[in-house]
Amino acid sequence: PSDAPGSLEQVHAASGVLRRMVALDRIPVGVIRPTDIVVLLVVGASYEAVVRTVSHLSKRRSREEVGLGTQLQTVRYEAALKRRLGASAFVETSKLERNILRKEKKLVQLADDRAKRSARVSYGFRNAAWVLYALVFLTYYGTPILTLDGIQIETGDADASPTERSEGYLRGMLFPLTYVGAAMRFSGYGIEAAHRLSSISPLVVVWAAQATVQKVSECMEV
């Protein structure tokens, strides 16, 4: 058909814009602070690693609990054997059953103590996380870690300003976080208004490191 060449050109143009939108070529960076990025990644990853390690240890059964569980299984087995003997082993069976009850009660108490200890650890780390976020926020207040350069971004809207281009590009990269994450929007507070929506804040870098360690640890647990 006569309109085939034009359609082909439109397809190539659209694919070129799409490649740039999804950052297959390169990210149009205007300002970047590589040293701060590394520091923030180390801080976030280290904190999350400590949280994961300590939380895992707090949920593990103690040696006493493990040993008591083994003893309980043994006593239950012995009691089952005595019951088969009937009335002739009634006294010994009664002693074993009382022993079972004592051990079960002790196990329940140890499990409750472990659950309370794990809850205290989780509560402490939640408070520590808020302190960490506050320190990062105050230390880098008003300082973006990465800012996009809208001049390098090509869009289908020729009338769009560089700021609008960079904002749209970043929204596409971080979708859907930029729409559903209230924390994401708050993290840029203090950054110059003209660059707030086209920049990545220090807190986002810390959260990214934490999320990465979290996912890796979850894979290792599976």
Side-chain angles (χ1 to χ4, degrees):
S2 59
D3 60 342
S7 299
L8 187 60
E9 292 177 0
Q10 292 175 359
V11 170
H12 285 312
S15 63
V17 172
L18 179 61
R19 284 196 301 271
R20 285 186 287 273
M21 288 179 63
V22 297
L24 292 180
D25 296 332
R26 64 187 180 89
I27 298 177
V29 176
V31 176
I32 187 171
R33 304 176 187 276
T35 302
D36 291 326
I37 289 176
V38 172
V39 170
L40 292 169
L41 287 175
V42 171
V43 169
S46 300
Y47 175 80
E48 189 64 24
V50 171
V51 171
R52 288 278 162 177
T53 302
V54 176
S55 297
H56 176 71
L57 293 176
S58 68
K59 295 176 182 178
R60 290 180 58 182
R61 296 191 301 169
S62 63
R63 291 184 178 180
E64 180 184 5
E65 190 174 355
V66 173
L68 193 58
T70 303
Q71 295 174 17
L72 179 59
Q73 294 297 326
T74 303
V75 175
R76 283 174 175 170
Y77 177 74
E78 294 175 354
L81 294 178
K82 293 297 181 181
R83 290 192 193 97
R84 294 179 182 178
L85 299 177
S88 60
F90 175 76
V91 176
E92 295 180 0
T93 302
S94 298
K95 291 181 179 178
L96 289 172
E97 288 178 345
R98 288 194 296 270
N99 192 12
I100 289 174
L101 292 175
R102 286 195 298 270
K103 291 184 182 300
E104 287 178 340
K105 183 178 180 181
K106 181 63 175 177
L107 271 178
V108 170
Q109 180 182 351
L110 290 175
D112 289 342
D113 292 342
R114 176 161 49 88
K116 292 177 182 178
R117 181 173 63 251
S118 178
R120 288 195 300 269
V121 169
S122 299
Y123 179 77
F125 276 125
R126 280 198 300 270
N127 292 336
W130 285 111
V131 173
L132 173 64
Y133 301 153
L135 288 175
V136 172
F137 181 79
L138 294 175
T139 301
Y140 289 91
Y141 181 79
T143 304
I145 292 300
L146 183 147
T147 301
L148 300 182
D149 183 6
I151 297 178
Q152 304 180 42
I153 302 174
E154 296 183 12
T155 64
D157 186 2
D159 297 329
S161 66
T163 300
E164 292 173 339
R165 295 178 182 181
S166 57
E167 291 175 1
Y169 190 98
L170 188 61
R171 280 198 301 269
M173 286 180 58
L174 300 181
F175 179 84
L177 298 179
T178 49
Y179 292 92
V180 300
M184 290 284 294
R185 294 191 293 269
F186 175 78
S187 65
Y189 184 81
I191 297 176
E192 187 179 351
H195 303 293
R196 184 178 304 167
L197 298 180
S198 61
S199 301
I200 294 179
S201 68
L203 281 175
V204 173
V205 179
V206 173
W207 293 335
Q210 288 184 264
T212 301
V213 174
Q214 179 182 354
K215 295 303 179 182
V216 170
S217 63
E218 289 176 355
C219 293
M220 294 175 63
E221 290 174 0
V222 172

